[in-house]
Amino acid sequence: MSFKFNWNSFNDESFYTRAKKLLTDALNKSNKPPIIVDKIIVQDLSLGSEAPDLEILEIGDLADDRFRGIFKLTYSGNASITLATKVQANPLNVYAQNAPGFCMPQFLGASSSLAMPLNLTLSDIVLSGIIILVFSKAKGLTLVFRNDPLEKIKVSSTFDALPGIAKFLQVQIENQIRVLFREELPTILHKLSQKWTPSGSEMSELMSLKSHTSSPISTEPSSPRLKPVSLMEINPDMPEFSPTNMLKLEALCASQRTLNLFTPAIPEAVYRSSLESFENARRKNGRDVQSLVGGDDLYDVMRLQTKQAQNRSSNITPKRRVIKIKRNKASDSTNSDTPSAEASAASTPISSSTPTSASTATSASSNTTSSTNTSSSLSPSSSNTSSNSSADLNSSKTTSIAFLPVIDESLASTSAIPSLDLKLPRQRRESILKPTSILEQDGKQAPSSKHEHEHVHWTHENALPKDKLFKDFFSRNVNIRPDDHTNNPPPPAYVA
Amino acid sequence: MYGYMDHLCQQFYRCTDWNEDNSYANVIETARNLIDFDIPDGASLIVSSQSSKNSFTSYTLSNLGMVNGSVAYLYSSRPLTTIEPSREIPLQELVSSYRILKPLNPPPDPIFWQQWHAGVRVDRKDTLLYGRLFLPGNSLEALLVRRLSPKSQLLVTCVSDNQIKNKGAITFNLQRDNGKWRNEIIYSTYESLIGYRGMYNIGFEESPSSSTNRSKVSPPVSRLAFGLEVFYGIASKSPGFSTAMRYTTQSAYTGTPLTLTLMSNPLMGHISATYAVRTTNASSFASRFDFNVYSYISDLSIGCEIWRKGAISSAVNSVEPPLPTDFSGVFKASTSLNSRKLRLLWEGRYKEILISTGAGISLSPRTPLATSVGIELQYSS
């Protein structure tokens, strides 16, 4: 089984000019020995009209990420390359450049330089070899020649008139090309293939990042992190995640990487750095953290409950349920305060609710099928729809899901549990600790005037700027409307 | 400007009556001094001192690339009495400039050098020992000069460095000088190089006794010298050959000293001709033309140097020519057509420190750009 090469695609003129330029730059990049006086220029490059003959002899291993095979390569076309440079004809000049200056006899004119032009042409290349090719996605490509592939090569130069020098050049170049096939070509291909393996691509990105930061003038301003990363590259065995989600996460993380002082808050996340300030702010405002009576803050309650939960065991992530207690005041209308399983699935401790309070809440609400109704509807979409359906208070902008048991004053006062009217349309009143009023997405919404709470209601006006984060945390706006954002994420400034 | 150790070597030759002008390597010395002078690279500081009449030390510190320095010691068996501290030394002794040739004198008979005391021969051969250690790179260089007889001298130089082939090299140079001609045989272990240099003078005034007549013999009016050198590197099979001719005279009309040299390398087809003239006591000019017969590459270089009188002397006497110690600074410039580079150098003395600063300005892009700037400060006590 052999391959068919479309060798004519190389006949493109622009390909050859570009290839010649690349090769010339590569040859002149490193330090040249003192015997070469001028730049090395590729004058002529031609890959010939005949394609090499590649045949598969054996395939040893074939898998999704591995390949091993033995090929046979023969080539006897008319490819050729011509190089032009200038060489130093005075050997004593080369000596004078290499020798240590202190103990070198001072040459007066014996080391004058004489630069002679040299044109070197390699043509009539005949290759025949057996290649062992091993490819693995993890390690890259390894290519080894089982035998010496070079059979014949014709070296012609401007020194052909001098048979001694011509023979010397022929022998030297043949040896170098054998070394190239044996040693250099596998190394080069291996390094090149490492770009497509996971560890290799990281290494190459690290190298490129290092070279970009070390070079004073960096031509490429973007850091490797800007490139979208597919999970298949990291771990091919795992299932793919949705690219949309990955991009959203990427944009989210990127929006934080900025020098702007005011960054948009990440929804459903708590910033560990702001916890202390929350606590201090609470205390400063004269609220007693400990007491629950009196309609205390949502946050204090949360903290207490979380502490209790943590004291018990850290593994359990209790769910928080909201108890909607229907009141007689019909003016209140509540949004659906459905507990959310997703929120409890969030891994921050604040979000976890305590089992005790949940149990009390559930016991209190065991009679309330409506609450179970609502509690059963845990999906955000349902809450969205319910919020949309309910009276519009804050629901136009947010669908708030409370994670805490809304400890109503009725509960706290241990009065009789009012009955819930199932048949009436759900008139939910906004509870005291209605998170929706607190947890506004952008703080623009004024709390409902319908709120008639005996207790101090933590309203938007009292909110400290940083408290908005908690609001954001409790708002479960997956489908965020574009005008919800007051401040769009500033364009990320990558400090590379 | 010659370094302190180079200056000591020259003073050693002068004290032992060894004529350095007679060496083939110095045939085109005048033109080389005026055109191919060295510009200091980076910033360097040389501090030297004379511990006694026989021993000298020197420390250098330079920031070429990274900070590096060296420590050098020199011992001379003959006391060098002409060494002066940097605040008093005449500037002409340190600056390489137009070389006025010393009169050639035949070396004395070896019997005059023998010293006997109590029936035992007590004369010692003059020896100079020199060693320098380069500090960050741990490389070492050493020099030994031994005056074997009035007519012959042995010069041994060696270098020990991690970065050169075989980690080091040593070169032997046996010189024989007859006044009229000089031969040198050279052998170096770096690629097993052997060489021969020879020089022959015409217009040489014989004088019966050198030591008494030296001061009375006037400088030679004209002198013609021929020389050749042959080298062959055995390990790398690299031959080298060149011949040169130098004619020194004084202009018939104005009396200004002038030097003409012609050098050729027949193997490579390289011919070089120079012309140097010392127009006044304080200025010299030189030009050189190179031509290659095989590749037709040619080059024209010119160089000049101008000495500046010190502030004190100009106030005292403005009519008479300035005395040698009156020069306070020298300005050199040179350029060449092929290299398209202008090289400038200023050397002088400020208080007790000898300063040498220079710059290489490349003219090949349209705007001049200073490609290399350097300063070197020397102090010796």
Side-chain angles (χ1 to χ4, degrees):
Chain A
M1 180 176 141
S2 61
F3 289 84
K4 187 170 151 192
F5 288 101
N6 185 9
W7 212 243
N8 288 335
S9 66
F10 287 135
N11 281 347
D12 194 10
E13 191 53 47
S14 64
F15 166 76
Y16 276 125
T17 38
R18 192 163 167 271
K20 275 198 249 183
K21 184 176 175 308
L22 275 178
L23 198 56
T24 307
D25 291 341
L27 284 170
N28 290 322
K29 216 194 305 189
S30 59
N31 281 346
K32 294 191 284 284
I35 198 157
I36 296 183
V37 174
D38 199 14
K39 285 198 306 185
I40 306 176
I41 303 170
V42 176
Q43 249 182 9
D44 204 15
L45 175 66
S46 148
L47 285 166
S49 52
E50 274 181 44
D53 201 18
L54 190 65
E55 215 180 292
I56 304 184
L57 291 181
E58 185 190 317
I59 296 198
D61 192 6
L62 187 63
D64 203 9
D65 57 347
R66 286 188 305 275
F67 174 77
R68 188 177 187 279
I70 303 184
F71 297 83
K72 182 160 149 55
L73 171 77
T74 50
Y75 178 75
S76 58
N78 51 352
S80 75
I81 179 170
T82 307
L83 302 168
T85 182
K86 287 206 180 86
V87 287
Q88 178 62 252
N90 191 354
L92 220 58
N93 188 303
V94 180
Y95 176 95
Q97 288 183 39
N98 289 339
F102 185 71
C103 78
M104 188 182 67
Q106 225 176 356
F107 300 117
L108 192 69
S111 64
S112 326
S113 140
L114 174 64
M116 290 185 61
L118 169 72
N119 279 21
L120 191 70
T121 307
L122 309 174
S123 61
D124 293 340
I125 305 174
V126 176
L127 298 174
S128 157
I130 298 185
I131 305 172
I132 302 173
L133 185 85
V134 177
F135 172 74
S136 81
K137 220 162 190 183
K139 292 199 215 111
L141 179 85
T142 318
L143 180 144
V144 171
F145 279 95
R146 202 189 262 177
N147 63 333
D148 185 20
L150 184 73
E151 300 226 327
K152 202 165 74 83
I153 186 169
K154 178 161 164 246
V155 173
S156 71
S157 66
T158 44
F159 284 124
D160 284 346
L162 308 160
I165 298 182
K167 193 154 153 293
F168 171 76
L169 278 176
Q170 173 93 24
V171 166
Q172 285 291 315
I173 289 178
E174 265 184 33
N175 288 344
Q176 281 295 345
I177 294 202
R178 281 180 227 273
V179 165
L180 174 87
F181 275 117
R182 266 256 143 88
E183 284 160 36
E184 316 254 336
L185 197 67
T187 322
I188 293 169
L189 284 174
H190 185 68
K191 268 200 216 150
L192 205 63
S193 72
Q194 292 224 308
K195 273 204 271 184
W196 289 292
T197 65
S199 59
S201 66
E202 283 170 18
M203 284 298 289
S204 67
E205 279 175 8
L206 274 176
M207 291 294 180
S208 68
L209 184 61
K210 195 161 60 160
S211 64
H212 285 148
T213 50
S214 60
S215 67
I217 306 165
S218 177
T219 54
E220 196 186 332
S222 63
S223 82
R225 287 192 215 167
L226 279 183
K227 301 192 203 110
V229 175
S230 155
L231 215 54
M232 288 297 287
E233 290 175 6
I234 298 174
N235 192 345
D237 296 335
M238 296 234 320
E240 269 194 57
F241 291 157
S242 151
T244 328
N245 277 346
M246 298 294 283
L247 285 173
K248 275 192 193 167
L249 280 175
E250 160 105 32
L252 194 64
C253 291
S255 69
Q256 298 295 317
R257 254 180 259 133
T258 166
L259 291 176
N260 195 342
L261 292 172
F262 305 103
T263 55
I266 299 178
E268 297 182 8
V270 173
Y271 289 75
R272 202 171 307 181
S273 55
S274 348
L275 279 186
E276 271 312 305
S277 56
F278 272 106
E279 233 169 296
N280 294 339
R282 294 293 106 223
R283 284 212 190 90
K284 229 193 308 177
N285 288 351
R287 298 197 190 164
D288 192 1
V289 184
Q290 293 304 319
S291 77
L292 294 176
V293 182
D296 267 346
D297 248 353
L298 189 65
Y299 312 107
D300 305 325
V301 175
M302 273 163 41
R303 213 169 289 114
L304 277 176
Q305 290 170 348
T306 320
K307 269 190 212 154
Q308 285 173 8
Q310 276 172 343
N311 286 343
R312 243 155 264 248
S313 72
S314 52
N315 293 339
I316 303 174
T317 59
K319 297 190 170 88
R320 281 198 164 119
R321 293 190 184 183
V322 172
I323 300 149
K324 287 135 300 260
I325 295 168
K326 187 175 164 235
R327 276 221 176 161
N328 295 333
K329 295 181 181 172
S331 58
D332 303 319
S333 60
T334 67
N335 286 339
S336 65
D337 307 320
T338 57
S340 68
E342 277 91 326
S344 61
S347 57
T348 58
I350 301 294
S351 69
S352 64
S353 39
T354 60
T356 52
S357 43
S359 57
T360 58
T362 46
S363 63
S365 66
S366 57
N367 300 331
T368 65
T369 50
S370 68
S371 67
T372 54
N373 245 351
T374 58
S375 63
S376 60
S377 62
L378 298 178
S379 62
S381 54
S382 66
S383 71
N384 266 343
T385 51
S386 51
S387 71
N388 287 338
S389 62
S390 63
D392 175 56
L393 271 175
N394 306 329
S395 62
S396 61
K397 303 229 173 142
T398 65
T399 63
S400 58
I401 313 297
F403 299 105
L404 305 178
V406 180
I407 299 172
D408 203 21
E409 82 232 29
S410 51
L411 261 183
S413 55
T414 64
S415 57
I417 298 167
S419 63
L420 289 173
D421 194 1
L422 300 174
K423 288 165 188 108
L424 289 174
R426 285 215 229 151
Q427 285 178 6
R428 302 166 177 280
R429 103 184 184 121
E430 280 182 28
S431 66
I432 304 163
L433 302 173
K434 178 178 159 335
T436 56
S437 65
I438 309 164
L439 307 169
E440 284 157 4
Q441 181 67 23
D442 47 7
K444 263 196 200 160
Q445 306 158 356
S448 159
S449 53
K450 296 179 198 164
H451 282 204
E452 294 158 38
H453 305 290
E454 296 87 334
H455 311 278
V456 178
H457 179 62
W458 191 87
T459 60
H460 159 64
E461 282 87 16
N462 296 344
L464 296 177
K466 280 194 191 162
D467 295 347
K468 279 189 219 162
L469 300 174
F470 266 91
K471 292 191 273 180
D472 299 333
F473 166 68
F474 286 109
S475 67
R476 228 179 17 137
N477 270 334
V478 178
N479 304 329
I480 297 172
R481 287 197 227 160
D483 48 314
D484 284 349
H485 291 278
T486 49
N487 44 343
N488 293 322
Y494 294 98
V495 185
Chain B
M1 190 179 284
Y2 295 124
Y4 189 69
M5 292 294 167
D6 297 317
H7 175 61
L8 291 176
C9 276
Q10 289 170 1
Q11 294 301 315
F12 177 79
Y13 291 139
R14 191 180 296 179
C15 287
T16 56
D17 289 329
W18 183 257
N19 195 350
E20 265 301 289
D21 291 333
N22 220 7
S23 167
Y24 179 77
N26 295 332
V27 155
I28 56 169
E29 185 77 8
T30 296
R32 192 162 52 201
N33 288 343
L34 294 174
I35 298 172
D36 293 332
F37 48 84
D38 287 329
I39 297 180
D41 234 341
S44 59
L45 174 71
I46 303 177
V47 174
S48 338
S49 84
Q50 174 176 7
S51 331
S52 72
K53 285 221 184 73
N54 297 49
S55 63
F56 308 83
T57 64
S58 169
Y59 306 95
T60 69
L61 191 66
S62 80
N63 77 338
L64 189 61
M66 49 173 205
V67 175
N68 53 15
S70 67
V71 178
Y73 294 95
L74 190 140
Y75 164 76
S76 149
S77 66
R78 183 181 278 251
L80 303 176
T81 49
T82 54
I83 308 294
E84 292 171 53
S86 59
R87 61 176 177 270
E88 287 166 9
I89 193 163
L91 212 55
Q92 291 93 306
E93 301 211 359
L94 290 177
V95 174
S96 57
S97 71
Y98 189 95
R99 219 173 165 103
I100 302 279
L101 299 178
K102 288 203 302 264
L104 287 178
N105 296 304
D109 205 283
I111 202 160
F112 289 114
W113 276 24
Q114 290 177 4
Q115 293 168 10
W116 293 86
H117 179 77
V120 178
R121 189 154 166 197
V122 295
D123 60 303
R124 299 282 170 112
K125 298 190 168 46
D126 295 321
T127 313
L128 179 121
L129 296 165
Y130 158 80
R132 186 183 286 268
L133 172 68
F134 291 93
L135 280 172
N138 278 345
S139 76
L140 202 58
E141 62 183 29
L143 168 83
L144 163 75
V145 177
R146 190 164 171 89
R147 188 71 180 272
L148 301 172
S149 76
K151 285 188 185 175
S152 66
Q153 176 172 282
L154 175 69
L155 181 80
V156 179
T157 61
C158 73
V159 165
S160 159
D161 192 354
N162 227 358
Q163 284 155 6
I164 59 179
K165 239 197 271 186
N166 297 332
K167 304 278 198 278
I170 187 167
T171 306
F172 299 93
N173 190 341
L174 181 64
Q175 302 164 323
R176 281 207 305 244
D177 191 339
N178 203 10
K180 196 159 182 156
W181 48 260
R182 178 194 276 209
N183 297 331
E184 291 176 43
I185 299 174
I186 300 157
Y187 172 72
S188 169
T189 59
Y190 190 82
E191 292 193 14
S192 301
L193 179 87
I194 57 168
Y196 167 77
R197 287 210 273 244
M199 187 89 160
Y200 183 76
N201 291 294
I202 299 176
F204 161 70
E205 293 94 25
E206 292 267 359
S207 48
S209 159
S210 61
S211 50
T212 55
N213 280 0
R214 196 173 303 129
S215 50
K216 291 188 206 146
V217 169
S218 56
V221 175
S222 64
R223 194 198 299 171
L224 182 64
F226 295 99
L228 70 89
E229 66 177 358
V230 185
F231 286 100
Y232 184 67
I234 300 173
S236 58
K237 297 196 196 56
S238 41
F241 174 74
S242 84
T243 61
M245 185 173 81
R246 171 182 66 192
Y247 180 63
T248 317
T249 184
Q250 282 175 334
S251 164
Y253 294 110
T254 56
T256 54
L258 44 93
T259 307
L260 297 134
T261 72
L262 177 70
M263 192 269 299
S264 87
N265 184 336
L267 288 180
M268 299 297 139
H270 180 225
I271 298 176
S272 160
T274 75
Y275 172 72
V277 60
R278 187 165 179 187
T279 47
T280 70
N281 209 3
S283 67
S284 321
F285 294 88
S287 69
R288 179 176 68 207
F289 179 69
D290 298 293
F291 182 70
N292 193 312
V293 178
Y294 297 136
S295 69
Y296 296 147
I297 294 175
S298 61
D299 192 15
L300 177 69
S301 328
I302 52 175
C304 77
E305 76 172 9
I306 297 167
W307 291 81
R308 206 162 152 270
K309 284 186 298 219
I312 307 166
S313 66
S314 59
V316 172
N317 48 358
S318 51
V319 180
E320 296 163 19
L323 300 170
T325 52
D326 293 344
F327 287 124
S328 70
V330 62
F331 175 73
K332 293 188 184 182
S334 102
T335 181
S336 84
L337 288 184
N338 265 2
S339 74
R340 300 199 55 84
K341 204 169 167 188
L342 175 69
R343 298 164 70 239
L344 305 168
L345 182 72
W346 181 83
E347 295 180 325
R349 185 198 347 247
Y350 178 70
K351 290 194 183 167
E352 297 190 9
I353 299 180
L354 298 159
I355 304 170
S356 157
T357 64
I361 300 174
S362 89
L363 305 164
S364 43
R366 282 304 164 125
T367 57
L369 183 70
T371 49
S372 63
V373 179
I375 180 167
E376 182 186 274
L377 303 170
Q378 269 197 55
Y379 174 75
S380 69
S381 65

